Amino acid sequence: MPRPFPAHEIRDALGLVRLLYLARKVHGQVAPPASDPLVVIGRELRAVLACAREPEGSPAYRAGVERAVRALQKLEGVITLRDDLGDAARVSEARITGREIPRRGKGGRPST
């Protein structure tokens, strides 16, 4: 029995990638977009979502799932111990509320 295209799961992964990127950006730890691995992975996941319209089991459907898996495997290699999920949560909160995202210094303290 074919499985529905995992569009919701891919959107979740894309959201995580975006939050990690923004959290790194707050710390000034991002490369130019063309060479930043999180941007590349995010673009890949966004492109995969187009495959959600393909018929289950079709070659394009299977290729989309395989492409998503490769992007998530790249993500595994990009996440480091320096990536703070607390920062990702603060970035998310700031985006929802419209507040400014405070820059963090060493030790997680807000910079001045």
Side-chain angles (χ1 to χ4, degrees):
M1 179 172 173
R3 180 173 184 250
F5 193 83
H8 295 291
E9 293 81 354
I10 292 169
R11 280 191 204 105
D12 291 346
L14 180 56
L16 173 64
V17 169
R18 288 175 172 165
L19 289 176
L20 286 172
Y21 177 82
L22 290 172
R24 286 182 181 183
K25 189 174 179 180
V26 167
H27 292 289
Q29 299 171 343
V30 293
S35 62
D36 190 289
L38 288 174
V39 173
V40 173
I41 292 165
R43 288 178 178 160
E44 190 74 8
L45 290 172
R46 191 176 64 223
V48 166
L49 288 172
C51 297
R53 293 185 287 270
E54 299 297 330
E56 289 181 20
S58 70
Y61 172 98
R62 287 192 304 275
V65 171
E66 290 169 8
R67 193 173 173 188
V69 168
R70 283 193 305 274
L72 292 173
Q73 288 170 340
K74 288 179 192 173
L75 180 60
E76 289 176 31
V78 169
I79 295 175
T80 69
L81 292 174
R82 284 190 233 148
D83 289 313
D84 183 340
L85 293 180
D87 283 345
R90 282 185 285 280
V91 166
S92 181
E93 178 188 348
R95 288 182 62 128
I96 290 168
T97 62
R99 294 185 192 141
E100 185 175 323
I101 302 168
R103 289 200 170 269
R104 297 268 180 206
K106 290 188 177 182
R109 293 182 295 276
S111 346
T112 55

XYZ file of all heavy atoms in Angstrom:
853
model
N 0.845 -1.181 0.000
C 0.000 0.000 0.000
C 0.891 1.246 0.000
O 1.736 1.412 0.871
C -0.881 -0.016 1.242
C -1.774 1.151 1.372
S -2.884 0.840 2.771
C -3.687 2.359 2.872
N 0.732 2.142 -0.988
C 1.555 3.343 -1.048
C 1.298 4.251 0.158
O 0.193 4.320 0.689
C 1.114 4.023 -2.340
C 0.377 2.999 -3.112
C -0.169 2.021 -2.118
N 2.318 4.920 0.555
C 2.242 5.854 1.680
C 2.036 7.259 1.120
O 2.684 7.625 0.147
C 3.553 5.780 2.454
C 3.594 6.695 3.638
C 4.866 6.432 4.452
N 4.839 7.251 5.629
C 5.647 8.296 5.817
N 6.558 8.596 4.927
N 5.563 8.989 6.915
N 1.155 8.066 1.710
C 0.981 9.443 1.237
C 2.310 10.196 1.296
O 3.150 9.937 2.158
C -0.020 10.046 2.222
C -0.697 8.887 2.863
C 0.287 7.756 2.837
N 2.485 11.117 0.357
C 3.724 11.900 0.331
C 3.878 12.620 1.664
O 2.933 13.239 2.161
C 3.694 12.905 -0.825
C 5.032 13.512 -1.084
C 5.962 12.842 -1.853
C 5.367 14.732 -0.538
C 7.209 13.388 -2.091
C 6.609 15.290 -0.766
C 7.534 14.617 -1.545
N 5.076 12.566 2.268
C 5.276 13.139 3.611
C 5.462 14.662 3.608
O 6.433 15.195 4.146
C 6.533 12.416 4.094
C 7.298 12.123 2.845
C 6.252 11.844 1.801
N 4.522 15.375 3.013
C 4.641 16.828 2.887
C 4.685 17.519 4.248
O 5.478 18.446 4.448
C 3.484 17.375 2.057
N 3.853 17.084 5.190
C 3.841 17.730 6.519
C 5.180 17.528 7.215
O 5.715 18.451 7.836
C 2.708 17.183 7.388
C 1.352 17.495 6.851
N 0.826 18.767 6.818
C 0.412 16.695 6.296
C -0.371 18.742 6.270
N -0.651 17.489 5.935
N 5.732 16.355 7.113
C 7.007 16.058 7.744
C 8.132 16.868 7.102
O 9.029 17.359 7.788
C 7.321 14.560 7.650
C 6.378 13.690 8.461
C 5.035 13.382 7.790
O 4.731 13.928 6.706
O 4.283 12.581 8.358
N 8.068 17.038 5.792
C 9.085 17.833 5.095
C 8.951 19.298 5.486
O 9.954 19.980 5.722
C 8.986 17.620 3.573
C 9.400 16.171 3.246
C 9.858 18.617 2.812
C 9.095 15.739 1.834
N 7.714 19.783 5.616
C 7.511 21.174 6.083
C 8.056 21.353 7.500
O 8.636 22.396 7.816
C 6.031 21.548 6.042
C 5.564 21.924 4.685
C 4.158 22.539 4.732
N 3.551 22.363 3.436
C 2.607 21.487 3.145
N 2.101 20.709 4.047
N 2.129 21.399 1.936
N 7.858 20.348 8.358
C 8.415 20.416 9.716
C 9.935 20.531 9.666
O 10.533 21.340 10.382
C 8.028 19.179 10.532
C 6.553 19.116 10.884
O 5.858 20.148 10.743
O 6.096 18.032 11.290
N 10.558 19.706 8.838
C 12.020 19.739 8.705
C 12.479 21.087 8.155
O 13.475 21.655 8.622
C 12.497 18.595 7.807
N 11.738 21.628 7.195
C 12.067 22.933 6.629
C 11.971 24.016 7.707
O 12.822 24.904 7.791
C 11.140 23.236 5.452
C 11.351 24.561 4.736
C 12.772 24.708 4.227
C 10.347 24.674 3.586
N 10.949 23.930 8.549
C 10.824 24.886 9.659
C 12.004 24.803 10.607
O 12.528 25.829 11.057
N 12.448 23.591 10.915
C 13.615 23.416 11.787
C 14.849 24.038 11.148
O 15.613 24.755 11.813
C 13.851 21.932 12.058
C 15.132 21.601 12.822
C 15.108 22.200 14.223
C 15.336 20.098 12.871
N 15.049 23.789 9.868
C 16.200 24.358 9.158
C 16.161 25.885 9.216
O 17.172 26.537 9.490
C 16.242 23.852 7.696
C 17.253 24.627 6.870
C 16.551 22.365 7.658
N 15.000 26.456 8.994
C 14.869 27.918 9.024
C 15.170 28.479 10.412
O 15.848 29.501 10.551
C 13.467 28.328 8.578
C 13.247 28.139 7.100
C 11.825 28.435 6.697
N 11.692 28.417 5.247
C 10.544 28.364 4.626
N 9.405 28.346 5.306
N 10.500 28.344 3.306
N 14.668 27.814 11.449
C 14.935 28.296 12.805
C 16.410 28.158 13.171
O 16.983 29.055 13.805
C 14.063 27.553 13.819
C 12.587 27.914 13.779
C 11.802 27.037 14.756
C 12.381 29.385 14.105
N 17.031 27.059 12.789
C 18.470 26.904 13.050
C 19.262 27.989 12.335
O 20.193 28.569 12.900
C 18.950 25.521 12.605
C 18.560 24.354 13.489
C 18.925 23.031 12.817
C 19.234 24.455 14.848
N 18.893 28.285 11.099
C 19.583 29.335 10.348
C 19.441 30.684 11.059
O 20.416 31.407 11.246
C 19.033 29.425 8.922
C 19.669 30.545 8.134
C 20.904 30.372 7.527
C 19.040 31.788 8.025
C 21.505 31.403 6.827
C 19.637 32.826 7.323
C 20.866 32.628 6.725
O 21.465 33.664 6.041
N 18.215 31.018 11.451
C 17.994 32.305 12.111
C 18.724 32.378 13.448
O 19.256 33.424 13.815
C 16.500 32.564 12.284
C 15.760 32.846 10.983
C 14.254 32.901 11.221
C 16.255 34.134 10.342
N 18.758 31.265 14.195
C 19.484 31.251 15.473
C 20.977 31.469 15.231
O 21.632 32.211 15.972
C 19.239 29.932 16.201
N 21.514 30.851 14.205
C 22.930 31.067 13.878
C 23.165 32.504 13.426
O 24.190 33.104 13.730
C 23.375 30.112 12.772
C 23.556 28.696 13.238
C 24.040 27.822 12.106
N 24.203 26.440 12.533
C 24.678 25.494 11.747
N 25.036 25.761 10.497
N 24.794 24.260 12.198
N 22.210 33.048 12.687
C 22.341 34.414 12.183
C 22.423 35.411 13.331
O 23.175 36.380 13.273
C 21.158 34.731 11.266
C 21.287 36.016 10.512
C 20.140 36.161 9.531
C 20.251 37.465 8.781
N 19.155 37.636 7.825
N 21.655 35.159 14.382
C 21.683 36.029 15.559
C 23.094 36.088 16.150
O 23.535 37.112 16.654
C 20.668 35.533 16.623
C 20.886 36.191 17.965
C 19.252 35.795 16.139
N 23.815 34.986 16.051
C 25.185 34.911 16.565
C 26.219 35.315 15.520
O 27.408 35.244 15.772
C 25.498 33.490 17.044
C 24.734 33.091 18.258
N 24.978 33.618 19.504
C 23.722 32.207 18.429
C 24.155 33.086 20.385
N 23.375 32.230 19.750
N 25.771 35.675 14.323
C 26.700 36.039 13.265
C 27.461 34.849 12.714
O 28.574 34.990 12.236
N 26.856 33.661 12.773
C 27.534 32.436 12.375
C 26.983 31.861 11.074
O 26.872 30.654 10.923
C 27.410 31.375 13.471
C 28.011 31.773 14.781
C 27.673 30.779 15.884
O 26.757 29.978 15.773
N 28.422 30.856 16.962
N 26.647 32.721 10.114
C 26.136 32.217 8.844
C 27.067 32.649 7.717
O 27.692 33.699 7.772
C 24.690 32.691 8.561
C 23.717 32.086 9.542
C 24.584 34.196 8.563
N 27.138 31.812 6.714
C 27.898 32.118 5.508
C 26.974 32.834 4.533
O 25.761 32.888 4.744
C 28.416 30.810 4.912
N 27.526 33.373 3.447
C 26.646 33.952 2.423
C 25.630 32.898 1.972
O 25.953 31.703 1.923
C 27.611 34.316 1.290
C 28.937 34.483 1.965
C 28.940 33.514 3.106
N 24.402 33.300 1.666
C 23.345 32.328 1.357
C 23.712 31.266 0.320
O 23.327 30.118 0.455
C 22.189 33.199 0.861
C 22.402 34.504 1.552
C 23.895 34.675 1.643
N 24.471 31.625 -0.692
C 24.802 30.649 -1.740
C 25.687 29.521 -1.218
O 25.692 28.434 -1.780
C 25.483 31.341 -2.910
N 26.425 29.774 -0.140
C 27.337 28.743 0.360
C 26.971 28.234 1.755
O 27.637 27.345 2.274
C 28.775 29.271 0.371
O 28.880 30.383 1.238
N 25.929 28.793 2.363
C 25.545 28.325 3.694
C 24.817 26.989 3.564
O 23.822 26.884 2.856
C 24.644 29.350 4.384
C 24.424 28.997 5.845
O 23.698 28.013 6.111
O 24.986 29.683 6.700
N 25.297 25.942 4.261
C 24.669 24.627 4.107
C 23.205 24.593 4.532
O 22.409 23.871 3.931
C 25.524 23.701 4.965
C 26.352 24.578 5.822
C 26.437 25.913 5.154
N 22.818 25.377 5.522
C 21.409 25.380 5.935
C 20.527 25.991 4.854
O 19.405 25.526 4.626
C 21.228 26.115 7.266
C 21.758 25.392 8.492
C 21.654 26.279 9.732
C 21.027 24.076 8.718
N 21.020 27.010 4.165
C 20.251 27.612 3.076
C 20.100 26.604 1.938
O 19.009 26.437 1.382
C 20.918 28.914 2.577
C 20.227 29.444 1.331
C 20.908 29.973 3.682
N 21.189 25.919 1.615
C 21.154 24.917 0.546
C 20.166 23.804 0.891
O 19.339 23.398 0.062
C 22.568 24.350 0.289
C 22.533 23.186 -0.682
C 23.492 25.452 -0.214
N 20.199 23.316 2.129
C 19.285 22.257 2.570
C 17.844 22.762 2.549
O 16.932 22.065 2.101
C 19.678 21.748 3.971
C 21.017 21.004 3.895
C 18.589 20.861 4.571
C 21.673 20.765 5.252
N 17.621 23.977 3.023
C 16.275 24.547 3.015
C 15.714 24.667 1.605
O 14.545 24.345 1.366
N 16.545 25.094 0.685
C 16.091 25.201 -0.708
C 15.746 23.828 -1.268
O 14.778 23.679 -2.014
C 17.160 25.872 -1.558
C 17.283 27.356 -1.278
C 18.370 27.996 -2.076
N 18.418 29.430 -1.799
C 19.458 30.196 -2.028
N 20.554 29.689 -2.577
N 19.426 31.478 -1.735
N 16.551 22.849 -0.921
C 16.306 21.484 -1.388
C 14.967 20.967 -0.854
O 14.156 20.415 -1.597
C 17.459 20.582 -0.933
C 17.450 19.225 -1.523
C 17.867 19.195 -2.993
O 18.317 20.219 -3.537
O 17.707 18.131 -3.599
N 14.712 21.170 0.440
C 13.454 20.704 1.033
C 12.255 21.432 0.437
O 11.217 20.825 0.175
C 13.491 20.872 2.559
C 14.441 19.934 3.299
C 14.543 20.329 4.762
C 14.004 18.487 3.151
N 12.417 22.726 0.213
C 11.318 23.498 -0.390
C 11.013 22.982 -1.796
O 9.851 22.843 -2.177
C 11.664 24.987 -0.408
C 10.472 25.849 -0.767
C 10.774 27.324 -0.707
N 11.779 27.648 -1.695
C 12.813 28.457 -1.483
N 12.980 29.023 -0.306
N 13.681 28.715 -2.434
N 12.050 22.662 -2.555
C 11.858 22.143 -3.910
C 11.163 20.781 -3.881
O 10.347 20.473 -4.745
C 13.202 22.038 -4.631
N 11.470 19.982 -2.877
C 10.878 18.645 -2.762
C 9.366 18.724 -2.570
O 8.632 17.842 -3.009
C 11.540 17.874 -1.596
C 10.749 16.651 -1.214
C 12.963 17.492 -1.959
N 8.892 19.776 -1.947
C 7.454 19.891 -1.693
C 6.629 19.890 -2.976
O 5.465 19.510 -2.960
C 7.152 21.131 -0.853
C 7.583 21.023 0.614
C 7.420 22.365 1.312
C 6.804 19.933 1.320
N 7.236 20.263 -4.094
C 6.521 20.215 -5.372
C 6.138 18.780 -5.731
O 5.165 18.554 -6.446
C 7.373 20.821 -6.481
N 6.872 17.819 -5.213
C 6.585 16.406 -5.513
C 5.322 15.917 -4.805
O 4.818 14.836 -5.122
C 7.770 15.533 -5.112
S 9.251 15.912 -6.053
N 4.810 16.694 -3.879
C 3.598 16.289 -3.157
C 2.406 16.184 -4.108
O 1.448 15.470 -3.810
C 3.288 17.278 -2.038
N 2.476 16.854 -5.243
C 1.376 16.816 -6.214
C 1.456 15.609 -7.144
O 0.550 15.362 -7.918
C 1.375 18.101 -7.036
C 1.038 19.334 -6.218
C 0.930 20.561 -7.102
N 2.225 21.030 -7.576
C 2.983 21.914 -6.943
N 2.580 22.429 -5.813
N 4.132 22.302 -7.446
N 2.556 14.879 -7.048
C 2.747 13.731 -7.935
C 1.942 12.530 -7.446
O 1.717 12.378 -6.242
C 4.235 13.366 -8.006
C 5.110 14.462 -8.558
C 4.789 14.818 -9.997
O 4.333 13.937 -10.750
O 4.994 15.988 -10.369
N 1.518 11.665 -8.351
C 0.764 10.470 -7.942
C 1.626 9.549 -7.070
O 2.826 9.404 -7.309
C 0.410 9.781 -9.268
C 0.662 10.779 -10.334
C 1.640 11.772 -9.804
N 0.988 8.972 -6.056
C 1.699 8.042 -5.163
C 2.345 6.935 -5.979
O 1.733 6.379 -6.886
C 0.735 7.434 -4.150
C 0.270 8.415 -3.108
C -0.661 7.779 -2.088
O -0.666 6.551 -1.943
O -1.391 8.540 -1.442
N 3.582 6.634 -5.661
C 4.284 5.548 -6.325
C 4.894 5.916 -7.664
O 5.610 5.101 -8.248
N 4.653 7.115 -8.162
C 5.219 7.511 -9.458
C 6.727 7.735 -9.307
O 7.230 7.936 -8.199
C 4.558 8.791 -9.964
O 4.958 9.899 -9.171
N 7.461 7.737 -10.410
C 8.901 8.002 -10.330
C 9.218 9.362 -9.693
O 10.157 9.467 -8.901
C 9.359 7.942 -11.791
C 8.378 7.026 -12.452
C 7.065 7.322 -11.768
N 8.437 10.381 -10.019
C 8.677 11.710 -9.430
C 8.418 11.704 -7.927
O 9.142 12.339 -7.153
C 7.800 12.755 -10.113
N 7.394 10.978 -7.503
C 7.068 10.838 -6.075
C 8.248 10.192 -5.348
O 8.735 10.694 -4.335
C 5.814 9.983 -5.953
C 5.423 9.554 -4.559
C 4.458 10.249 -3.854
C 6.003 8.440 -3.957
C 4.067 9.846 -2.590
C 5.622 8.036 -2.692
C 4.658 8.738 -2.011
O 4.288 8.344 -0.757
N 8.729 9.066 -5.891
C 9.858 8.353 -5.258
C 11.114 9.216 -5.254
O 11.840 9.256 -4.273
C 10.109 7.018 -5.967
C 9.047 5.971 -5.652
C 9.453 4.578 -6.111
N 9.789 4.494 -7.532
C 8.917 4.318 -8.513
N 7.629 4.203 -8.232
N 9.317 4.256 -9.769
N 11.345 9.933 -6.343
C 12.518 10.803 -6.421
C 12.434 11.916 -5.374
O 13.445 12.276 -4.763
C 12.644 11.392 -7.819
N 11.232 12.447 -5.156
C 11.054 13.493 -4.145
C 11.359 12.990 -2.749
O 12.033 13.665 -1.966
N 10.886 11.791 -2.439
C 11.160 11.217 -1.111
C 12.661 10.977 -0.952
O 13.250 11.316 0.081
C 10.352 9.916 -0.898
C 10.795 9.205 0.368
C 8.854 10.229 -0.839
N 13.288 10.442 -1.989
C 14.736 10.181 -1.920
C 15.516 11.483 -1.773
O 16.485 11.555 -1.020
C 15.190 9.418 -3.162
C 14.676 7.987 -3.189
C 14.880 7.306 -4.530
O 15.568 7.873 -5.420
O 14.347 6.183 -4.697
N 15.083 12.516 -2.464
C 15.737 13.822 -2.378
C 15.593 14.406 -0.971
O 16.531 14.982 -0.432
C 15.105 14.744 -3.416
C 15.824 16.009 -3.684
C 15.171 16.717 -4.860
N 15.736 18.039 -5.054
C 15.270 18.929 -5.900
N 14.221 18.629 -6.655
N 15.829 20.108 -6.020
N 14.424 14.249 -0.378
C 14.204 14.728 0.989
C 15.106 13.979 1.966
O 15.690 14.580 2.871
C 12.739 14.563 1.381
N 15.217 12.677 1.787
C 16.078 11.875 2.673
C 17.525 12.356 2.567
O 18.212 12.527 3.582
C 15.952 10.374 2.338
C 17.042 9.562 3.024
C 14.576 9.864 2.742
N 18.005 12.601 1.352
C 19.386 13.086 1.177
C 19.575 14.442 1.856
O 20.595 14.685 2.501
C 19.741 13.172 -0.302
C 20.044 11.831 -0.927
C 20.685 11.985 -2.302
N 19.912 12.797 -3.225
C 18.933 12.343 -4.008
N 18.605 11.057 -3.980
N 18.290 13.159 -4.823
N 18.596 15.329 1.727
C 18.693 16.647 2.369
C 18.750 16.509 3.885
O 19.538 17.187 4.556
C 17.516 17.528 1.959
N 17.946 15.601 4.441
C 17.950 15.413 5.894
C 19.248 14.751 6.367
O 19.730 15.044 7.464
C 16.732 14.615 6.328
C 15.415 15.371 6.147
C 14.231 14.462 6.425
C 15.376 16.605 7.026
N 19.828 13.902 5.537
C 21.124 13.325 5.885
C 22.201 14.408 5.903
O 23.070 14.406 6.775
C 21.488 12.207 4.906
C 20.646 10.961 5.125
C 20.803 9.933 4.020
O 21.245 10.235 2.906
N 20.413 8.704 4.319
N 22.120 15.362 4.975
C 23.048 16.503 4.993
C 22.840 17.323 6.265
O 23.796 17.785 6.884
C 22.834 17.392 3.770
C 23.319 16.810 2.485
C 23.038 17.784 1.340
C 23.249 17.137 0.002
N 22.817 18.002 -1.113
N 21.574 17.502 6.645
C 21.272 18.266 7.853
C 21.901 17.629 9.081
O 22.440 18.328 9.941
C 19.755 18.401 8.036
C 19.282 19.179 9.263
C 19.800 20.606 9.239
C 17.760 19.152 9.335
N 21.861 16.307 9.154
C 22.493 15.607 10.284
C 23.959 15.997 10.410
O 24.470 16.150 11.518
C 22.415 14.095 10.087
C 21.045 13.512 10.243
C 21.034 12.017 9.925
O 22.063 11.341 10.150
O 20.004 11.538 9.436
N 24.647 16.149 9.289
C 26.060 16.493 9.307
C 26.337 17.958 9.570
O 27.458 18.334 9.877
N 25.323 18.800 9.453
C 25.494 20.243 9.603
C 25.218 20.691 11.040
O 25.806 21.659 11.523
C 24.564 20.977 8.607
C 24.489 22.448 8.883
C 25.034 20.722 7.185
N 24.334 20.006 11.726
C 23.995 20.383 13.109
C 25.195 20.090 14.000
O 25.803 19.025 13.916
C 22.753 19.629 13.592
C 21.531 20.063 12.777
C 22.507 19.874 15.079
C 20.273 19.297 13.084
N 25.531 21.058 14.844
C 26.677 20.908 15.740
C 26.246 21.114 17.185
O 25.115 21.517 17.466
C 27.775 21.947 15.414
O 27.290 23.253 15.771
C 28.156 21.921 13.941
N 27.175 20.879 18.084
C 26.898 21.117 19.506
C 26.671 22.603 19.788
O 26.064 22.952 20.789
C 28.038 20.586 20.365
C 28.186 19.074 20.386
C 29.439 18.670 21.157
C 26.968 18.420 20.997
N 27.144 23.466 18.909
C 26.938 24.908 19.102
C 25.527 25.347 18.769
O 25.133 26.456 19.092
C 27.923 25.694 18.243
C 29.305 25.686 18.811
C 30.168 26.665 18.052
N 31.345 25.947 17.620
C 32.015 26.172 16.526
N 31.633 27.103 15.708
N 33.065 25.474 16.222
N 24.778 24.501 18.065
C 23.400 24.843 17.746
C 22.549 24.679 18.999
O 22.413 23.586 19.527
C 22.862 23.949 16.618
C 23.498 24.279 15.294
O 23.568 25.473 14.961
O 23.932 23.339 14.605
N 22.017 25.789 19.461
C 21.257 25.823 20.705
C 19.767 25.844 20.366
O 19.282 26.789 19.736
C 21.654 27.072 21.484
C 20.987 27.189 22.832
O 19.943 26.556 23.065
O 21.515 27.937 23.668
N 19.050 24.806 20.765
C 17.610 24.768 20.487
C 16.868 25.844 21.261
O 15.799 26.294 20.837
C 17.047 23.380 20.780
C 17.557 22.285 19.846
C 16.951 20.946 20.225
C 17.257 22.612 18.405
N 17.443 26.285 22.368
C 16.849 27.408 23.091
C 16.877 28.666 22.238
O 15.905 29.428 22.198
N 17.995 28.870 21.529
C 18.076 30.009 20.610
C 17.038 29.873 19.505
O 16.392 30.844 19.119
C 19.471 30.098 19.978
C 20.507 30.668 20.926
O 20.128 31.257 21.960
O 21.708 30.527 20.621
N 16.879 28.661 19.001
C 15.878 28.435 17.946
C 14.480 28.759 18.464
O 13.672 29.368 17.754
C 15.957 27.004 17.433
N 14.193 28.382 19.709
C 12.880 28.676 20.300
C 12.709 30.187 20.486
O 11.631 30.730 20.218
C 12.725 27.951 21.635
N 13.776 30.882 20.923
C 13.693 32.340 21.095
C 13.475 33.037 19.749
O 12.709 33.997 19.651
C 14.956 32.870 21.777
C 14.964 32.615 23.286
C 16.167 33.261 23.959
N 17.394 32.525 23.696
C 17.764 31.418 24.338
N 17.006 30.933 25.292
N 18.897 30.822 24.050
N 14.137 32.557 18.717
C 13.952 33.120 17.384
C 12.506 32.932 16.942
O 11.874 33.847 16.402
C 14.924 32.449 16.378
C 14.528 32.751 14.951
C 16.350 32.895 16.644
N 11.976 31.755 17.184
C 10.593 31.476 16.815
C 9.639 32.403 17.564
O 8.715 32.980 16.977
C 10.261 30.017 17.112
O 8.943 29.722 16.744
N 9.863 32.548 18.855
C 9.012 33.432 19.658
C 9.078 34.863 19.137
O 8.048 35.544 18.996
C 9.450 33.396 21.124
C 8.641 34.324 22.003
C 9.199 34.435 23.410
O 10.067 33.640 23.796
O 8.753 35.353 24.125
N 10.280 35.323 18.826
C 10.439 36.690 18.333
C 9.729 36.882 16.998
O 9.111 37.922 16.755
C 11.922 37.026 18.204
N 9.790 35.873 16.150
C 9.104 35.977 14.855
C 7.593 36.030 15.041
O 6.898 36.747 14.327
C 9.488 34.804 13.970
C 10.907 34.900 13.462
C 11.211 33.764 12.563
N 10.317 33.816 11.406
C 10.704 33.773 10.158
N 11.963 33.666 9.880
N 9.834 33.812 9.186
N 7.079 35.270 15.985
C 5.632 35.235 16.221
C 5.142 36.543 16.833
O 4.111 37.073 16.448
C 5.269 34.035 17.123
C 5.463 32.728 16.338
C 3.843 34.145 17.647
C 5.416 31.482 17.195
N 5.919 37.070 17.783
C 5.485 38.275 18.499
C 5.907 39.567 17.819
O 5.410 40.634 18.166
C 6.044 38.284 19.936
O 7.477 38.306 19.866
C 5.559 37.084 20.718
N 6.844 39.481 16.873
C 7.337 40.683 16.221
C 8.402 41.407 17.023
O 8.817 42.503 16.660
N 8.869 40.799 18.094
C 9.925 41.414 18.904
C 11.273 41.248 18.222
O 11.468 40.364 17.411
C 9.999 40.751 20.281
C 8.784 40.991 21.113
C 8.977 40.407 22.504
N 7.695 40.412 23.180
C 7.262 39.453 23.966
N 8.004 38.401 24.197
N 6.083 39.534 24.532
N 12.205 42.091 18.619
C 13.567 41.980 18.116
C 14.222 40.745 18.740
O 13.982 40.427 19.909
C 14.360 43.231 18.481
C 15.739 43.243 17.891
C 16.460 44.545 18.170
O 15.806 45.608 18.160
O 17.670 44.487 18.408
N 15.037 40.089 17.960
C 15.750 38.907 18.454
C 17.027 39.390 19.125
O 17.885 39.983 18.470
C 16.090 37.949 17.301
C 14.821 37.524 16.579
C 16.864 36.748 17.817
C 15.069 36.814 15.269
N 17.161 39.178 20.445
C 18.368 39.660 21.122
C 19.594 38.869 20.687
O 19.558 37.658 20.583
C 18.069 39.438 22.608
C 17.024 38.382 22.636
C 16.263 38.490 21.345
N 20.689 39.591 20.411
C 21.960 38.918 20.110
C 22.499 38.333 21.396
O 22.383 38.925 22.460
C 22.964 39.902 19.538
C 22.600 40.333 18.135
C 23.845 40.882 17.449
N 23.608 41.076 16.046
C 23.836 40.160 15.117
N 24.318 39.002 15.461
N 23.588 40.403 13.867
N 23.096 37.148 21.277
C 23.663 36.475 22.438
C 25.174 36.507 22.350
O 25.761 36.301 21.297
C 23.203 35.015 22.484
C 21.721 34.884 22.639
C 21.393 34.780 24.081
N 19.966 34.659 24.258
C 19.368 35.035 25.351
N 20.034 35.540 26.341
N 18.068 34.904 25.476
N 25.808 36.755 23.482
C 27.262 36.724 23.560
C 27.728 35.371 24.056
O 26.971 34.399 24.070
N 28.962 35.311 24.466
C 29.509 34.063 25.005
C 28.764 33.672 26.266
O 28.347 34.510 27.038
C 31.002 34.217 25.315
C 31.825 34.326 24.057
C 33.289 34.268 24.387
C 34.067 34.307 23.095
N 35.484 34.216 23.323
N 28.579 32.390 26.453
C 27.886 31.896 27.629
C 26.375 32.078 27.563
O 25.676 31.885 28.539
N 25.860 32.496 26.386
C 24.423 32.621 26.220
C 23.832 33.904 26.762
O 22.636 34.098 26.757
N 24.694 34.816 27.240
C 24.182 36.081 27.796
C 23.910 37.064 26.659
O 24.641 37.094 25.684
C 25.196 36.660 28.764
C 25.381 35.827 30.012
C 26.371 36.476 30.973
N 27.716 36.543 30.394
C 28.591 35.547 30.439
N 28.307 34.422 31.036
N 29.789 35.689 29.892
N 22.862 37.882 26.811
C 22.614 38.891 25.769
C 23.802 39.818 25.625
O 24.442 40.199 26.611
C 21.392 39.658 26.301
C 20.738 38.729 27.254
C 21.858 37.909 27.859
N 24.172 40.167 24.373
C 25.280 41.107 24.156
C 24.767 42.516 24.338
O 23.593 42.795 24.163
C 25.890 41.010 22.784
O 25.546 39.912 22.072
N 25.669 43.370 24.634
C 25.286 44.785 24.793
C 25.962 45.653 23.784
O 26.862 45.298 23.125
C 25.655 45.289 26.205
O 27.040 45.044 26.425
C 24.814 44.610 27.244
